[in-house]
Coordinates of all heavy atoms in Angstrom, one line a residue:
S1457 N -8.3 14.8 -5.3 CA -7.8 15.7 -4.2 C -8.1 15.1 -2.9 O -7.4 15.3 -1.9 CB -8.5 17.1 -4.3 OG -9.9 16.9 -4.2
F1458 N -9.1 14.2 -2.9 CA -9.3 13.5 -1.6 C -8.2 12.5 -1.2 O -7.8 12.4 0.0 CB -10.7 12.6 -1.6 CG -11.8 13.4 -1.7 CD1 -12.6 13.3 -2.8 CD2 -12.2 14.3 -0.6 CE1 -13.9 14.2 -2.9 CE2 -13.4 14.9 -0.7 CZ -14.2 15.0 -1.7
L1459 N -7.6 11.9 -2.2 CA -6.4 11.0 -2.0 C -5.2 11.9 -1.5 O -4.6 11.5 -0.6 CB -6.0 10.3 -3.2 CG -7.3 9.4 -3.9 CD1 -6.7 8.7 -5.1 CD2 -7.9 8.5 -2.9
E1460 N -5.1 13.1 -2.1 CA -3.9 13.8 -1.8 C -4.1 14.4 -0.4 O -3.1 14.5 0.4 CB -3.8 15.0 -2.9 CG -3.5 14.4 -4.2 CD -3.5 15.6 -5.2 OE1 -3.9 16.8 -4.8 OE2 -3.2 15.4 -6.4
A1461 N -5.4 14.8 0.0 CA -5.6 15.3 1.3 C -5.3 14.3 2.3 O -4.7 14.5 3.4 CB -7.1 15.8 1.3
S1462 N -5.8 13.1 2.1 CA -5.5 12.1 3.1 C -4.1 11.7 3.3 O -3.6 11.6 4.5 CB -6.1 10.7 2.5 OG -5.9 9.5 3.5
L1463 N -3.3 11.8 2.3 CA -1.8 11.5 2.4 C -1.2 12.7 3.1 O -0.2 12.6 3.9 CB -1.2 11.3 1.0 CG -1.6 10.0 0.3 CD1 -1.0 10.1 -1.2 CD2 -1.2 8.8 1.0
D1464 N -1.7 14.0 2.8 CA -1.1 15.2 3.4 C -1.4 15.2 4.9 O -0.6 15.8 5.6 CB -1.6 16.4 2.8 CG -1.0 16.6 1.3 OD1 0.0 16.0 1.0 OD2 -1.8 17.3 0.4
L1465 N -2.4 14.6 5.2 CA -2.8 14.5 6.7 C -2.2 13.5 7.5 O -2.4 13.3 8.7 CB -4.3 14.4 6.9 CG -5.2 15.7 6.4 CD1 -6.6 15.3 6.4 CD2 -4.8 16.9 7.3
G1466 N -1.3 12.6 6.8 CA -0.5 11.8 7.5 C -0.9 10.3 7.4 O -0.2 9.4 7.9
A1467 N -1.9 9.9 6.6 CA -2.4 8.7 6.3 C -1.4 8.0 5.5 O -0.8 8.6 4.5 CB -3.8 8.6 5.9
S1468 N -1.2 6.7 5.7 CA -0.4 5.9 4.8 C -1.2 5.5 3.6 O -2.3 5.8 3.5 CB 0.0 4.7 5.5 OG -1.0 3.8 5.7
Q1469 N -0.4 4.9 2.6 CA -1.0 4.6 1.3 C -2.1 3.4 1.5 O -3.2 3.6 1.0 CB -0.1 4.1 0.3 CG 1.0 5.0 -0.3 CD 0.5 5.9 -1.3 OE1 -0.7 5.8 -1.8 NE2 1.2 6.8 -1.8
F1470 N -1.9 2.6 2.5 CA -2.8 1.5 2.7 C -4.1 2.1 3.5 O -5.2 1.7 3.2 CB -2.2 0.6 3.6 CG -3.1 -0.8 3.9 CD1 -3.4 -1.6 2.9 CD2 -3.5 -0.9 5.2 CE1 -4.2 -2.7 3.1 CE2 -4.4 -2.0 5.4 CZ -4.7 -2.9 4.5
Q1471 N -3.9 3.0 4.4 CA -5.0 3.7 5.1 C -5.9 4.5 4.2 O -7.1 4.5 4.3 CB -4.5 4.6 6.3 CG -3.9 3.7 7.4 CD -3.3 4.6 8.5 OE1 -2.6 5.7 8.2 NE2 -3.4 4.1 9.8
T1472 N -5.1 5.2 3.3 CA -6.0 6.0 2.3 C -6.7 5.1 1.4 O -7.9 5.5 1.1 CB -4.9 6.8 1.4 OG1 -4.2 7.7 2.2 CG2 -5.6 7.6 0.4
F1473 N -6.2 4.0 1.0 CA -6.9 3.1 0.1 C -8.2 2.4 0.9 O -9.2 2.5 0.3 CB -6.0 2.0 -0.3 CG -6.7 0.8 -1.1 CD1 -7.1 1.1 -2.4 CD2 -7.1 -0.4 -0.5 CE1 -7.7 0.1 -3.1 CE2 -7.6 -1.4 -1.2 CZ -8.0 -1.1 -2.5
L1474 N -8.0 2.2 2.1 CA -9.2 1.4 2.8 C -10.2 2.4 3.3 O -11.4 2.2 3.2 CB -8.6 0.7 4.1 CG -7.9 -0.6 3.9 CD1 -7.6 -1.1 5.2 CD2 -8.7 -1.6 3.1
K1475 N -9.7 3.7 3.7 CA -10.7 4.6 4.3 C -11.2 5.7 3.3 O -12.2 6.4 3.7 CB -10.1 5.3 5.5 CG -9.7 4.3 6.6 CD -9.1 5.0 7.8 CE -8.9 4.0 8.8 NZ -8.3 4.6 10.2
V1476 N -10.6 5.9 2.2 CA -10.9 6.9 1.3 C -11.3 6.3 -0.1 O -12.4 6.5 -0.6 CB -9.9 8.0 1.1 CG1 -10.3 9.0 0.1 CG2 -9.5 8.6 2.5
T1477 N -10.4 5.5 -0.6 CA -10.5 5.1 -2.0 C -11.6 4.1 -2.2 O -12.6 4.2 -2.9 CB -9.2 4.4 -2.6 OG1 -8.2 5.4 -2.5 CG2 -9.5 4.1 -4.1

Side-chain angles (χ1 to χ4, degrees):
S1457 63
F1458 288 117
L1459 307 182
E1460 296 173 358
S1462 176
L1463 295 172
D1464 290 341
L1465 290 173
S1468 65
Q1469 293 281 358
F1470 184 70
Q1471 290 174 325
T1472 300
F1473 175 76
L1474 286 183
K1475 297 182 178 181
V1476 179
T1477 306

